[in-house]
């Protein structure tokens, strides 16, 4: 067996959650932050993905001195567990001001707030020791198309990103695309949109992407192709591996649990690009099922990591020569059976 030491894994504390859904209340007690942090190493994770307010709670009510002190304290807490912050993401979508978007809102006051908050997230990222800021553009879209000008909204996104880039010349921004939810239509639905937008900014080299499996699937796309596209531009700066069973609500299922073959192809594309050599994390964005009792509500993380590692072995032992011959013969029926047999272990 090849060693798995070459991949590093991360997730955000929101992956350990209370199980609320739009139709019912929470079903598990909240786990406090320190207890969540203690789960990481036990399950073999080294990286912590953070919202700005995970790092510094209620940051908008705090002075710069307080923000600095709390971010440093959080960094110490992570370091004391042998962990590091992978990225910080400004959480614009929970604040009432961001109800119709923070960066693309029609109200200039709201946009000013959205940009200021995003600059604070940049500062917090640096204090936490990472140069990566993730923009999940949750409410940057519309419920009804006529409510905003898309043309203007794209300009505003570019402007906001430019302001963040200029605020700190050392940070990188990874846009996490998603086609819908919470909005009916999001402005940045795919990695193609994200990377085209990057080219319009003042420093395209510092704007890349984070691809979430389920977000690509919700857009009707193959996540491995989305990843390949970003990798080809050297712009896949993180991933949110998970899964999705068809076009329904955003499920954040465990990696490989609904589409094992698609999961295999994501791993293959990462292996082909030697992603493990980049020093970047394999991040998860997964939710435990609502039925899961509290004591077992981290199993989805362990399962996703185990499936990833098993698929790395499958990718590394794939009968490449046989596959190449079948490709040369254009014998895709046999190629398909080769893939399925390999995955089923019945080759
Ligand atoms: C969205 C994200 C996160 C969300 C998280 C909330 C960085 O796909 O990855 O933003 O905050 O998923 O549940
Ligand atoms: Mg999701
Ligand atoms: Mg995500």
């Amino acid at each position: 067996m090849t060693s798995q030491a070459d991949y590093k894994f991360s997730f955000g504390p929101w992956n350990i959650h209370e199980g609320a859904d739009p139709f019912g209340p929470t079903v598990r007690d909240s786990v406090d932050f320190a207890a969540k942090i203690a789960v990481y190493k036990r399950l073999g994770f080294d990286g912590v993905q953070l919202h700005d307010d995970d790092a510094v709670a209620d940051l908008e009510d705090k002075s710069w001195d307080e923000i600095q002190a709390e971010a440093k304290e959080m960094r110490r807490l992570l370091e004391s567990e042998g962990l590091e912050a992978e990225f910080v993401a400004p959480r614009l979508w929970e604040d009432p001001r961001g109800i119709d978007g923070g960066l693309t809102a029609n109200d200039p006051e709201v946009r000013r707030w959205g940009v200021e908050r995003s600059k604070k997230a940049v500062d917090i990222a640096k204090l936490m020791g990472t140069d990566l800021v993730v923009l999940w553009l949750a409410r940057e879209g519309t419920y009804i198309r006529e409510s905003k000008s898309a043309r203007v909204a794209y300009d505003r996104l570019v402007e906001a990103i430019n302001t963040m880039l200029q605020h700190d010349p050392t940070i990188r921004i990874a846009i996490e695309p998603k086609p819908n939810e919470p909005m009916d239509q999001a402005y940045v639905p795919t990695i193609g949109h994200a990377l085209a937008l990057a080219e319009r900014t003042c420093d395209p080299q510092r704007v890349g992407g984070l691809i979430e499996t389920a977000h690509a699937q919700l857009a009707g796309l193959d996540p491995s192709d989305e990843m390949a596209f970003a990798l080809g531009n050297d712009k896949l700066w993180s991933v949110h591996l998970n899964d999705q069973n068809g076009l329904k609500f955003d499920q954040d299922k465990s990696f490989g649990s609904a589409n094992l073959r698609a999961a295999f192809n994501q791993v293959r594309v990462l292996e082909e690009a030697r992603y493990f050599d980049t020093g970047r994390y394999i991040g998860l964005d997964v939710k435990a099922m609502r039925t899961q009792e509290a004591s077992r509500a981290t199993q989805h993380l362990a399962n996703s990591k185990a499936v990833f590692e098993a698929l790395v072995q499958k990718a590394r032992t794939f009968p490449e020569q046989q596959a190449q011959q079948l490709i040369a013969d254009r014998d895709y029926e046999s190629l398909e059976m080769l893939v399925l047999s390999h995955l089923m272990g019945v080759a």
Side-chain angles (χ1 to χ4, degrees):
M1 287 254 291
T2 318
S3 153
Q4 297 285 306
D6 40 16
Y7 279 102
K8 302 192 297 182
F9 297 88
S10 64
F11 66 88
W14 62 86
N15 287 234
I16 302 172
H17 60 106
E18 297 84 356
D21 71 16
F23 307 99
T26 57
V27 290
R28 296 183 286 265
D29 289 341
S30 296
V31 176
D32 65 45
F33 194 85
K36 287 183 183 181
I37 289 303
V39 171
Y40 279 73
K41 279 283 169 184
R42 184 162 59 74
L43 298 184
F45 290 80
D46 298 312
V48 184
Q49 306 184 337
L50 294 163
H51 297 119
D52 50 359
D53 55 0
D54 292 323
V56 179
D58 303 317
L59 68 131
E60 303 210 52
D61 306 332
K62 290 181 176 153
S63 67
W64 172 236
D65 282 351
E66 289 170 316
I67 289 176
Q68 267 184 304
E70 287 191 30
K72 281 181 188 158
E73 187 50 42
M74 177 60 76
R75 186 171 171 175
R76 265 194 295 276
L77 171 69
L78 300 191
E79 284 172 357
S80 72
E81 296 278 346
L83 300 170
E84 64 174 1
E86 181 197 358
F87 67 67
V88 172
R91 181 147 49 185
L92 301 184
W93 56 93
E94 284 191 0
D95 191 290
R97 284 168 287 193
I99 194 165
D100 197 19
L103 309 176
T104 63
N106 290 319
D107 182 346
E109 266 307 302
V110 171
R111 294 201 305 278
R112 256 191 294 281
W113 160 78
V115 170
E116 279 314 304
R117 168 89 183 239
S118 303
K119 281 159 65 183
K120 276 186 197 161
V122 167
D123 294 335
I124 292 172
K126 292 312 296 283
L127 290 166
M128 294 299 300
T130 176
D131 68 349
L132 190 61
V133 171
V134 167
L135 284 186
W136 176 46
L137 299 167
R139 297 192 193 276
E140 313 307 338
T142 53
Y143 293 111
I144 59 164
R145 239 320 152 239
E146 300 82 0
S147 65
K148 289 180 192 168
S149 158
R151 182 73 193 265
V152 169
Y154 286 117
D155 290 346
R156 285 175 177 161
L157 286 174
V158 171
E159 252 173 68
I161 293 170
N162 282 346
T163 307
M164 293 169 73
L165 292 170
Q166 282 154 1
H167 181 64
D168 186 317
T170 65
I171 57 130
R172 295 175 299 135
I173 295 174
I175 300 173
E176 179 180 355
K178 186 178 183 185
N180 57 272
E181 203 189 27
M183 305 307 270
D184 177 52
Q185 300 278 353
Y187 285 129
V188 185
T190 70
I191 196 65
H193 289 78
L195 297 191
L197 212 57
E199 290 303 314
R200 288 186 54 197
T201 67
C202 61
D203 196 353
Q205 289 310 310
R206 290 198 285 139
V207 186
L210 176 158
I211 292 177
E212 173 163 328
T213 310
H215 295 180
Q217 289 165 332
L218 286 170
L221 300 171
D222 183 314
S224 68
D225 286 352
E226 288 281 274
M227 288 176 188
F229 182 77
L231 286 163
N233 289 278
D234 196 22
K235 292 242 176 156
L236 187 65
W237 294 346
S238 189
V239 290
H240 269 168
L241 298 186
N242 60 12
D243 212 347
Q244 172 76 26
N245 188 18
L247 294 182
K248 46 188 79 160
F249 62 94
D250 177 14
Q251 295 182 300
D252 296 336
K253 287 167 93 67
S254 292
F255 184 55
S257 62
N259 301 283
L260 190 61
R261 184 172 172 185
F264 172 62
N265 283 318
Q266 288 164 71
V267 173
R268 266 195 105 196
V269 109
L270 292 167
E271 279 280 297
E272 190 188 11
R274 299 183 66 83
Y275 190 79
F276 48 82
D277 273 347
T278 63
R280 296 172 197 151
Y281 280 97
I282 294 295
L284 303 178
D285 196 357
V286 288
K287 294 216 158 51
M289 288 180 241
R290 195 165 188 266
T291 44
Q292 197 72 345
E293 76 157 59
S295 66
R296 292 192 280 257
T298 56
Q299 200 184 327
H300 60 307
L301 293 159
N303 289 354
S304 296
K305 181 170 176 283
V307 167
F308 180 88
E309 289 173 336
L311 290 176
V312 169
Q313 291 313 313
K314 286 290 179 187
R316 289 179 183 178
T317 56
F318 185 67
E320 208 54 67
Q321 272 186 345
Q322 235 176 304
Q324 286 310 321
Q325 188 54 57
L326 296 173
I327 291 166
D329 296 343
R330 217 186 335 104
D331 184 359
Y332 297 161
E333 296 291 356
S334 300
L335 178 62
E336 178 154 82
M337 204 50 202
L338 184 71
V339 172
L340 295 178
S341 308
H342 185 65
L343 282 177
M344 291 187 293
V346 294

